[in-house]
């Protein structure tokens, strides 16, 4: 059974870490200021501001920051500054038993995807594909904050993951399935195929989204997952946005869904606002959800945090 972290409350302490690529200091500071103005305490990791080209420090340094946050009794939630690249390189340096016995809320998307799924797989921890520190700024829609705080404070169930008004979920293959949801960024999963950290989709509902990839590359990545058995193993598929994914050879992202995913025959729902899109639904990973493509609903069937 998955382990639910304690709900976040006003006045709690949030630990800030940079686990992949560096983020500009002014953006980090802006996010920290907003969190403090919301009434939270903030602790900053030793390497949050570090810069080493496209990485923010060595894998050992970034992993050390994360482990310190899990071991700090004051910290209730861990919030990465951003994703970028390189998050998978910290995975061998984490102590998953310590994480299991010190559950915290951890949220993120993009390259953080691989971490939050591995924490569910190896530590049984419920995690959240939702906001990162860079989203704590004035331009973030209230929908995103409402989704985020609902998912990490609400101790009752069921509740529905809904798009903003006038952005409908789309049913592509009819079905009504209930199971644990896993998933996130497509590129991140393909990067870890053949490693001890590849995603386990057996009996799961698989969510996928992508950004800034031409459609022929998206097809290649989806086919990699198919060859690895990830679609055969799952019981349903949810597709989010492919943000700024360019048409290639006359094919659109919608074409790839219709021509590649629909024939798989698994219950399939698309157009969930998430991750790299302007609107970001909060998706708790490691909990049971019900996906009913006939009603175009996605309901979280158990609490995602504890009291």
């Amino acid at each position: 059974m998955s382990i639910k972290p304690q709900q976040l409350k006003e006045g709690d302490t949030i630990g800030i870490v940079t686990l992949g690529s560096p983020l500009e200091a002014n953006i980090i500071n802006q996010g920290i200021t907003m969190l403090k103005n919301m009434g939270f305490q903030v602790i900053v990791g030793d390497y949050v501001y570090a810069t080493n080209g496209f990485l923010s420090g060595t894998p050992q340094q970034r992993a050390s920051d994360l482990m310190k946050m899990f071991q700090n009794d004051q910290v209730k939630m861990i919030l990465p500054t951003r994703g970028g690249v390189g998050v998978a390189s910290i995975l061998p340096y984490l102590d998953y038993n310590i994480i299991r016995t010190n559950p915290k809320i951890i949220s993120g998307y993009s390259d953080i995807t691989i971490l939050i799924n591995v924490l569910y797989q190896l530590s049984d921890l419920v995690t959240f594909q939702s906001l990162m520190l860079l989203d704590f700024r004035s331009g973030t829609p209230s929908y995103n904050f409402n989704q985020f705080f609902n998912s990490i404070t609400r101790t009752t169930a069921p509740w529905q993951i809904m798009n903003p008004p006038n952005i409908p979920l789309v049913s592509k293959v009819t079905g009504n399935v209930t199971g644990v949801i896993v998933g996130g960024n497509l590129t991140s999963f393909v990067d870890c195929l053949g490693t001890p950290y590849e995603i386990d989709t057996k009996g799961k509902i698989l969510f996928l989204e992508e950004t800034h990839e031409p459609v022929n590359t998206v097809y290649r990545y989806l086919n990699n997952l198919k060859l690895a058995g990830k679609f055969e193993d799952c019981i349903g598929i949810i597709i989010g946005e492919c943000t700024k994914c360019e048409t290639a050879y006359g094919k659109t992202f919608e074409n790839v869904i219709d021509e590649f995913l629909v024939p798989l025959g698994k219950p399939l729902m698309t157009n969930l606002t998430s991750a790299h899109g302007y609107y970001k639904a909060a998706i708790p990973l490691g909990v049971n959800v019900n996906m009913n493509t006939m009603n175009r609903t996605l309901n979280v069937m158990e609490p995602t945090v504890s009291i």
Side-chain angles (χ1 to χ4, degrees), residues 23-300:
L23 184 65
E24 294 89 339
N26 65 305
I27 300 177
I28 293 173
N29 294 336
Q30 172 184 263
I32 289 172
T33 297
M34 177 173 282
L35 288 172
K36 289 180 176 178
N37 289 340
M38 289 178 170
F40 298 107
Q41 306 297 313
V42 175
I43 294 177
V44 178
D46 295 334
Y47 300 99
V48 162
Y49 296 96
T51 301
N52 180 17
F54 51 79
L55 297 172
S56 60
T58 68
Q60 294 90 336
Q61 288 170 336
R62 289 176 277 132
S64 172
D65 264 4
L66 183 59
M67 289 307 306
K68 286 178 181 177
M69 294 302 178
F70 272 109
Q71 292 172 289
N72 188 328
D73 291 338
Q74 289 181 273
V75 173
K76 188 66 69 68
M77 180 173 77
I78 302 170
L79 195 62
T81 59
R82 64 165 298 182
V85 299
V87 175
S89 66
I90 75 172
L91 300 178
Y93 303 102
L94 303 180
D95 188 320
Y96 297 98
N97 287 324
I98 288 176
I99 292 170
R100 182 182 292 106
T101 56
N102 294 273
K104 318 272 185 183
I105 296 166
I106 183 166
S107 172
Y109 56 94
S110 194
D111 208 42
I112 300 297
T113 285
I114 192 62
L115 171 67
I116 56 180
N117 281 272
V118 165
L119 292 182
Y120 164 63
Q121 289 179 196
L122 299 186
S123 297
D124 302 313
L125 180 64
V126 171
T127 60
F128 301 86
Q129 190 195 260
S130 192
L131 303 188
M132 298 186 286
L133 184 69
L134 60 79
D135 298 301
F136 283 80
R137 52 187 173 83
S138 58
T140 296
S142 58
Y143 168 87
N144 298 5
F145 288 126
N146 292 339
Q147 286 276 307
F148 176 72
F149 285 109
N150 178 67
S151 68
I152 63 174
T153 61
R154 185 171 182 166
T155 59
T156 59
W159 53 272
Q160 190 171 354
I161 299 174
M162 300 177 66
N163 277 356
N166 304 317
I167 304 179
L169 291 169
V170 176
S171 173
K172 289 288 188 177
V173 179
T174 58
N176 185 352
V177 291
T178 299
V180 169
I181 188 169
V182 296
N185 180 247
L186 174 61
T187 297
S188 299
F189 295 133
V190 171
D191 285 348
C192 287
L193 289 177
T195 76
Y197 309 106
E198 70 175 65
I199 188 169
D200 176 12
T201 64
K202 192 169 185 61
K204 309 291 196 305
I205 295 173
L206 175 61
F207 165 74
L208 295 170
E209 62 83 36
E210 189 53 276
T211 185
H212 285 85
E213 294 286 0
V215 169
N216 56 318
T217 300
V218 173
Y219 164 80
R220 173 185 291 177
Y221 290 166
L222 289 172
N223 195 54
N224 284 345
L225 290 187
K226 180 182 179 182
L227 294 175
K230 302 307 177 182
F231 293 123
E232 182 179 355
D233 286 348
C234 75
I235 61 172
I237 304 166
I238 302 168
I239 298 296
E241 297 166 272
C242 200
T243 311
K244 298 184 179 178
C245 291
E246 296 179 1
T247 298
Y249 301 93
K251 295 290 186 179
T252 66
F253 180 56
E254 194 71 17
N255 293 147
V256 171
I257 292 172
D258 290 339
E259 296 171 16
F260 184 88
L261 291 177
V262 169
L264 297 178
K266 296 294 174 85
L268 173 62
M269 192 155 59
T270 67
N271 205 41
L272 179 63
T273 60
S274 61
H276 293 93
Y278 179 71
Y279 293 110
K280 304 180 192 302
I283 303 171
L285 305 179
V287 297
N288 281 289
V289 302
N290 172 258
M291 179 179 74
N292 187 329
T293 67
M294 294 167 282
N295 295 339
R296 294 180 298 165
T297 56
L298 182 61
N299 289 304
V300 179

